[in-house]
Amino acid sequence: MSTFYAEVTAAPRDCPPGSSAYGLMFQFRDNDNFRAFAVTCSGDYRLYDFSDTGDVTLAMGELPGGIDTSTGEHTLGVMAQGNRLTVYVDNQQV
């Protein structure tokens, strides 16, 4: 079983709610085949799988209360253990 952890710290300069997001790409094979974890400036998250056969949303939802992704510095993390993915925002599992 393959395991890895990827993490990025982001500090958005301009993050208007409803129209912006930021995140990280992982398991990158080429420009058409990769996965991505993104948080929106409105306080939601999305986990995507991009592939030649189509794009799929693997998970989505609201972030825990108290996390304002439109300002400040935020740490986004992805733990992959085989086929299982766990995502984190500011060290909180989402």
Side-chain angles (χ1 to χ4, degrees):
M1 173 167 51
S2 177
T3 299
F4 78 89
Y5 179 75
E7 182 178 275
V8 64
T9 299
R13 289 188 202 175
D14 185 23
C15 198
S19 63
S20 298
Y22 55 93
L24 64 105
M25 293 170 44
F26 60 100
Q27 295 178 333
F28 184 88
R29 292 182 296 280
D30 57 43
N31 288 338
D32 295 320
N33 296 280
F34 61 90
R35 289 183 169 170
F37 172 49
V39 295
T40 69
C41 298
S42 300
D44 298 320
Y45 72 90
R46 304 262 190 295
L47 182 61
Y48 300 101
D49 181 35
F50 294 92
S51 71
D52 294 331
T53 58
D55 306 336
V56 176
T57 301
L58 301 173
M60 61 188 283
E62 291 184 28
L63 293 172
I67 298 177
D68 180 1
T69 53
S70 65
T71 62
E73 197 172 86
H74 300 282
T75 303
L76 309 178
V78 176
M79 172 70 75
Q81 297 171 303
N83 291 328
R84 181 186 166 112
L85 298 172
T86 308
V87 292
Y88 301 88
V89 176
D90 294 341
N91 298 315
Q92 295 184 52
Q93 182 178 331
V94 295

